Amino acid sequence: MTARNRKKNLVVLVSGGGSNFAAILESIDRGEINGEVKAVISSNAQAYALTRARERGIPAYVCARKDYESGEARDREILRLLREYNTDYCLFAGYLGIVSSFLIDAYPYRLINIHPALLPKFGGKGFFGIHVHEAVLAAGERESGATVHYVDHGTDTGLIIAQRKTEVLPSDTPQSLQQRILDTIEHKLFPEVVALLCDDRVVVSDGKVLIK
Ligand code: GRF
């Protein structure tokens, strides 16, 4: 095997249910992703994502803000773990947390987030969880979707790798829209992008993302 198609080391950051994390594991099981989840880090000790990890024998860590003197101290521990696992890509799968600059700078173009809307719309401070879908409906949008992007120093502002859309239905509630985006878009799009990354098929050139 050449260095080019070496299996990639993935670390997944979570805060909640971890359905995106589960979708990535299933895609790995089907042989679609040339990578392995080496560890899971949660900002929340109650996150069901931790149970999913432990059931699979994946090392699971809790790095909760309240257990550290500052957000930077917590992020120093996350950085230590990313280094310990020789992380190629760190996947933010429903991770709720502000990321320190030094952590972003330590892993340029290697921190990947999924956001449940069509960025740059409905991103930034306050746009997380159900609030995103409430805002989409309140604005009368006719379509929504999900975006996979690199994490940069802003909130939901990093270069977009891929986006996929769905129609907003007249009967939609924030909950139905959230669930449909999770089931029909996020759980497919995130693993697809991770597969492309692990195959070295995503290239950033002149500030643009190219899929080879
Ligand atoms: C997803 O909608 C994701 O886009 C957002 O948070 C939610 C996490 O869901 N960032 P889960 O924990 O993967 O089930």
Side-chain angles (χ1 to χ4, degrees):
M1 196 184 273
T2 64
R4 196 178 150 74
N5 56 21
R6 171 182 63 79
K7 204 180 220 190
K8 302 301 191 291
N9 297 328
L10 307 172
V11 171
V12 183
L13 258 56
V14 296
S15 299
S19 67
N20 278 290
F21 165 47
I24 287 164
L25 288 176
E26 286 163 20
S27 184
I28 289 173
D29 289 346
R30 291 192 296 269
E32 296 162 352
I33 294 175
N34 184 28
E36 193 181 333
V37 177
K38 293 290 187 182
V40 170
I41 304 170
S42 177
S43 63
N44 163 17
Q46 313 311 325
Y48 182 63
L50 289 167
T51 305
R52 296 185 197 268
R54 289 177 186 131
E55 279 172 2
R56 302 274 300 222
I58 297 170
Y61 300 86
V62 177
C63 290
R65 171 68 187 83
K66 65 175 175 53
D67 298 333
Y68 295 86
E69 63 187 16
S70 63
E72 287 76 19
R74 176 208 50 203
D75 285 353
R76 276 195 291 279
E77 174 62 5
I78 293 177
L79 181 56
R80 190 191 68 73
L81 287 166
L82 294 183
R83 289 186 168 139
E84 180 177 323
Y85 287 99
N86 292 317
T87 307
D88 292 295
Y89 291 104
C90 177
L91 310 176
F92 289 54
Y95 180 70
L96 299 172
I98 301 296
V99 187
S100 304
S101 289
F102 66 84
L103 182 52
I104 295 163
D105 291 338
Y107 281 86
Y109 299 112
R110 295 201 281 154
L111 309 177
I112 316 294
N113 184 48
I114 184 154
H115 184 78
L118 298 173
L119 292 174
K121 283 181 161 184
F122 305 104
K125 205 165 175 283
F127 287 105
F128 62 91
I130 199 71
H131 304 303
V132 176
H133 308 287
E134 287 167 353
V136 167
L137 290 181
E141 294 290 312
R142 302 176 73 147
E143 54 185 19
S144 189
T147 305
V148 179
H149 65 94
Y150 292 109
V151 175
D152 73 357
H153 291 277
T155 304
D156 303 323
T157 55
L159 262 186
I160 292 173
I161 305 172
Q163 258 180 344
R164 201 163 288 163
K165 295 177 182 175
T166 184
E167 200 186 335
V168 174
L169 306 175
S171 59
D172 265 327
T173 61
Q175 289 74 16
S176 70
L177 185 58
Q178 178 182 51
Q179 198 60 52
R180 192 164 70 259
I181 290 173
L182 273 168
D183 293 343
T184 66
I185 302 182
E186 294 191 53
H187 296 164
K188 297 184 172 68
L189 186 65
F190 207 5
E192 283 173 26
V193 171
V194 174
L196 290 169
L197 289 164
C198 290
D199 284 337
D200 301 316
R201 290 185 55 201
V202 186
V203 177
V204 179
S205 169
D206 285 339
K208 291 201 177 74
V209 175
L210 306 171
I211 310 289
K212 292 196 286 180

